[in-house]
Amino acid sequence: MNTLYKTINIAGKPINGNILLAPLAGYTDAAFRSLCIEYGAALGFTEMISAEAVYRGSIKTLELIRRGDNERDFGIQMFTSSIEAAVSCAQVIEKEAPFIIDINCGCSVPKILKSGAGAALLQKPRFIGELVKALVNTVSIPVSVKLRLGWDIHSISYLEAAEAAVRNGASMVSLHPRTRSQGFTGKADWTHLAELKKHISVPVIGSGDLFTPEDAEKMLRETHIDGVMFARGAIGNPFIFSRTKSLLNGDDPVSGNPSAATRLSAALSQLKMMCAYKPENVACREMRKHIAHYVKGLFGASEIRHRINSIETIREYEAMMNGFLARHLDQ
């Protein structure tokens, strides 16, 4: 059967699937990536790290590139505006043996832009090529770039940036087809993904407005790109990977949203994985933002969002979840 689910080859190395987890600041730690892998993600990216911070020896930053227990492959994304810092960071990253190193050329957060990194690089396509070349000449790991369309509607530069990256050795290009000025407003223009696929020879991964398995299927069919990358659509929803994999393989799709019990069980699994490498009280506090997404749309979700603000132990989480399910068995 000819399905949309397939292996992607990156510089001769296979990723066993074409459904990826995007780098998400504050969310894609080792625990969340591990859970997404468990549910079918082929590869997950760390939240972006500062090359300059690694260059300066920041231990806190290095903690962000911890590999999950079940991650055979994972990607590490950096942001930088300095070739020197990027090279130094890549040398450190290589010791963690990631599958791929990604350069962020799309973040629109003002603090990142002010440093000349992220989407600011879209104004300097040639420099993106120089960054890629420096990393390719430094490490033996494949290098990729993640782009937006351009700085704004008047400066669409993604094709020039992608071509410069590939010409200098990039093995994969990911594109979120919005401009820097759009942020996450408006609609992602997927036609640019099809255009990018026509212009470069390496695998193209698409993101932007992917919130359901059907969205992923539609993007692949319409653009003929190689793979999709879930970002906001995966937060509190690792199930989207298994559901998308089934749909792309032509299997019977799983209808409806996961039950409350399924969602809370997954959330608890994620919390326990977090506690394996963080103090319990810290993990419980960090889990609050994830829980808010897991329970979105559930009857009585506001009760959970309120209660988690005072929870600091796994036992308290379990008691709260069990009590919630006992009161909402119909969910």
Side-chain angles (χ1 to χ4, degrees):
M1 179 186 294
N2 183 23
T3 71
L4 290 172
Y5 188 75
K6 61 182 182 180
T7 294
I8 306 175
N9 284 299
I10 310 295
K13 298 168 59 179
I15 300 176
N16 295 320
N18 58 344
I19 312 170
L20 284 61
L21 172 65
L24 290 164
Y27 286 94
T28 54
D29 62 4
F32 184 58
R33 295 196 315 274
S34 291
L35 192 63
C36 290
I37 293 293
E38 188 177 310
Y39 276 95
L43 182 141
F45 282 87
T46 66
E47 52 190 294
M48 63 180 184
I49 63 170
S50 166
E52 282 74 12
V54 174
Y55 182 51
R56 296 193 301 268
S58 168
I59 300 300
K60 186 176 181 180
T61 300
L62 292 176
E63 290 174 355
L64 299 176
I65 62 175
R66 174 192 296 267
R67 183 192 293 267
D69 289 342
N70 66 343
E71 286 189 295
R72 189 194 72 174
D73 299 323
F74 77 129
I76 297 177
Q77 187 187 70
M78 71 164 76
F79 68 92
T80 186
S81 60
S82 162
I83 288 179
E84 182 181 8
V87 166
S88 176
C89 179
Q91 290 171 329
V92 174
I93 285 175
E94 188 171 30
K95 298 173 185 177
E96 301 300 319
F99 182 91
I100 196 165
I101 297 175
D102 189 67
I103 304 171
N104 182 295
C105 306
C107 181
S108 57
V109 173
K111 182 179 178 181
I112 304 298
L113 297 175
K114 190 175 181 180
S115 72
L121 296 178
L122 293 170
Q123 300 175 101
K124 302 185 291 182
R126 181 181 295 180
F127 182 70
I128 291 175
E130 292 171 357
L131 262 178
V132 170
K133 184 177 182 179
L135 296 192
V136 169
N137 288 338
T138 299
V139 298
S140 58
I141 297 165
V143 175
S144 63
V145 295
K146 190 168 190 294
L147 308 170
R148 279 188 177 236
L149 295 180
W151 183 254
D152 56 32
I153 195 63
H154 304 294
S155 57
I156 303 299
S157 58
Y158 73 98
L159 287 178
E160 187 181 354
E163 288 169 349
V166 173
R167 188 167 57 247
N168 284 282
S171 298
M172 184 178 84
V173 175
S174 302
L175 176 66
H176 180 140
R178 283 184 171 92
T179 63
R180 181 279 319 172
S181 62
Q182 281 183 280
F184 292 100
T185 64
K187 187 177 180 181
D189 187 348
W190 293 356
T191 61
H192 291 287
L193 290 167
E195 192 67 18
L196 178 60
K197 180 61 183 172
K198 293 176 186 175
H199 277 79
I200 60 175
S201 58
V202 301
V204 173
I205 309 298
S207 67
D209 295 347
L210 295 176
F211 296 101
T212 67
E214 291 74 19
D215 291 337
E217 180 187 40
K218 184 179 180 183
M219 178 182 278
L220 289 168
R221 288 196 186 280
E222 289 185 357
T223 66
H224 306 291
I225 57 174
D226 301 278
V228 294
M229 184 179 281
F230 283 108
R232 292 174 293 160
I235 300 175
N237 186 23
F239 327 101
I240 200 167
F241 293 100
S242 57
R243 297 176 71 199
T244 301
K245 183 176 180 178
S246 292
L247 182 62
L248 298 186
N249 270 322
D251 299 332
D252 292 333
V254 179
S255 60
N257 293 318
S259 68
T262 298
R263 298 192 208 185
L264 294 181
S265 176
L268 189 60
S269 293
Q270 182 179 335
L271 174 59
K272 288 178 178 178
M273 284 189 276
M274 290 173 70
C275 288
Y277 62 91
K278 295 179 182 180
E280 186 174 355
N281 63 331
V282 172
C284 287
R285 287 196 295 269
E286 291 184 2
M287 191 65 198
R288 292 170 186 171
K289 62 190 174 189
H290 291 275
I291 290 286
H293 289 277
Y294 274 106
V295 302
K296 187 176 181 180
L298 291 181
F299 180 75
S302 58
E303 171 194 341
I304 288 182
R305 289 195 297 269
H306 174 72
R307 290 193 59 190
I308 58 177
N309 290 324
S310 59
I311 289 179
E312 303 243 342
T313 68
I314 291 178
R315 181 172 294 181
E316 289 176 294
Y317 262 107
E318 289 177 323
M320 180 270 293
M321 291 175 178
N322 290 335
F324 176 86
L325 291 173
R327 292 189 295 278
H328 303 282
L329 292 177
D330 59 328
Q331 291 292 303

